[in-house]
Amino acid sequence: MFATLTLTEIETAVRAATLAPSVLNVQPWRFIAHDDVIEVHRDTDRALPVTDPGSRALTVSCGAALFNLRLAVAHLVGRPEVDLLPDPTRPTLLAIVRPGDGSEPTPAESRLYAAIADRRSSRVPFVDEPLPVEAVVRVEDAAAQEGATLRFHNAYEASDVSRLVHQADLVQRADADIRAEVGRWTGRRQGAVDGIPDISLGPKAKDSSSLVRDFAMGLPVDDRERAAFERNPTLAVLLSDHDGPTDWLRAGQALERLWLEATSAGFGVSLLTQPLEMPGMRWLARPAASGMSWPQALIRLGLPVGRTPPTPRRPLADVLTFADDA
């Protein structure tokens, strides 16, 4: 006997989905509910044609939202059925989620669901210590459960990747089109429902060699604090075997699962997207021993010193449509 979703449960599930991370917090998703089904669509009006011309990052972001949606439905009515890219005639349709058999959520599903509201991008310093082995295993296993591979960089690789991130950052800051695109989604003021407001930028690094993305791109921000970041960041790369829309969706789900695992264990996560946004540099973010895998996310992990304020979210009415209202 399959469960059904009430209107309130649909709204609860979609609200959880919207708390997923997205590139520049553009929140590039829409949801359509009908016949006890929730469709996940990409919102093409929120594409980033300069930094993400192929919509890879947009699709990864929607995959993260899909994972939250799966968790919420599992929590409410049992593990759902999910179809990825079910209809090639509807190019914005990324997934269909149907309620499951009414089974109780597993302890892991309950733990991760509880972490959704606390998950955020940590733009604060981390304790300058290696990630505990048990935490490494936990997030690696989370990625593997979604069909992806999380590969931690050793000290030598991390040094090379750090240089790569800084090089990509310099290239982007020198590109007027990239600066304009990032600028459209940052520096948001009170009352904004998307993008990254100044309060969520995190402190400015005292040392320019620190490995944290500054979405202000070097521009001054009123009342912004300065902080010393860790000198030896823990870095990992999320890899997929192939590089198409299905792989991006799976990578997004893997990213959100491992992010929620880290959050539930008290660790912070931030993304270093600059090299992956540069076609000539993306491949270099891949460890040499990882074969022909494709980098989908470059991740910094650690125990945060402080807390980054959450970024805003669009109202539910902006992202959820019931088919009868369409």
Side-chain angles (χ1 to χ4, degrees):
M1 175 71 110
F2 282 82
T4 59
L5 286 166
T6 67
L7 184 149
T8 298
E9 287 170 338
I10 290 171
E11 291 178 338
T12 298
V14 170
R15 190 173 288 110
T18 66
L19 295 178
S22 61
V23 57
L24 291 174
N25 195 34
V26 303
Q27 302 169 55
W29 40 63
R30 295 185 300 110
F31 305 88
I32 300 176
H34 62 89
D35 300 326
D36 214 31
V37 163
I38 303 175
E39 297 180 353
V40 182
H41 291 255
R42 66 170 177 248
D43 188 340
T44 55
D45 291 338
R46 291 171 173 267
L48 300 168
V50 180
T51 56
D52 186 35
S55 294
R56 183 194 65 83
L58 180 150
T59 307
V60 170
S61 299
C62 290
L66 172 60
F67 183 77
N68 280 6
L69 185 66
R70 284 171 47 198
L71 271 184
V73 173
H75 174 78
L76 293 165
V77 297
R79 190 173 296 112
E81 295 183 347
V82 180
D83 293 327
L84 300 183
L85 303 174
D87 187 348
T89 68
R90 302 171 68 193
T92 68
L93 177 59
L94 300 177
I96 290 178
V97 177
R98 297 180 177 86
D101 58 7
S103 59
E104 290 293 317
T106 66
E109 288 169 338
S110 295
R111 183 182 70 251
L112 297 183
Y113 179 72
I116 288 176
D118 291 329
R119 187 222 58 83
R120 61 199 57 185
S121 296
S122 293
R123 300 189 182 96
V124 296
F126 293 161
V127 173
D128 205 350
E129 297 177 358
L131 208 64
V133 173
E134 58 270 23
V136 170
V137 172
R138 191 163 163 177
V139 294
E140 286 179 336
D141 182 63
Q145 288 185 59
E146 299 299 327
T149 300
L150 186 68
R151 169 72 158 76
F152 280 81
H153 294 282
N154 62 37
Y156 298 105
E157 293 167 339
S159 177
D160 290 340
V161 169
S162 296
R163 285 193 291 270
L164 182 68
V165 171
H166 287 298
Q167 182 182 357
D169 192 66
L170 289 173
V171 171
Q172 290 192 333
R173 291 189 187 197
D175 189 309
D177 291 334
I178 292 177
R179 290 201 316 271
E181 187 166 85
V182 172
R184 280 195 291 273
W185 295 97
T186 56
R188 298 299 177 95
R189 301 303 176 185
Q190 186 173 359
V193 298
D194 53 18
I196 303 175
D198 287 347
I199 194 174
S200 298
L201 288 173
K204 182 177 177 61
K206 290 181 178 180
D207 185 346
S208 61
S209 67
S210 298
L211 202 64
V212 60
R213 185 167 192 180
D214 183 3
F215 285 101
M217 302 193 80
L219 296 176
V221 176
D222 292 342
D223 301 321
R224 190 180 185 191
E225 298 179 354
R226 297 172 66 87
F229 284 74
E230 68 272 21
R231 297 178 59 84
N232 299 291
T234 296
L235 301 178
V237 61
L238 185 69
L239 301 161
S240 63
D241 291 337
H242 303 284
D243 194 43
T246 302
D247 308 288
W248 304 337
L249 281 173
R250 288 177 176 152
Q253 292 174 88
L255 177 64
E256 182 67 342
R257 180 184 277 273
L258 74 86
W259 204 322
L260 293 176
E261 282 285 6
T263 299
S264 70
F267 293 98
V269 172
S270 66
L271 300 182
L272 301 164
T273 59
Q274 302 98 310
L276 305 191
E277 295 168 351
M278 310 293 293
M281 295 185 183
R282 181 184 172 200
W283 195 252
L284 299 176
R286 177 184 58 90
S290 61
M292 296 300 292
S293 299
W294 291 84
Q296 303 296 348
L298 185 58
I299 304 168
R300 166 180 163 258
L301 305 95
L303 186 64
V305 180
R307 190 164 171 81
T308 305
T311 48
R313 286 298 183 271
R314 300 164 67 189
L316 201 61
D318 285 2
V319 299
L320 173 61
T321 301
F322 290 90
D324 290 344
D325 300 332

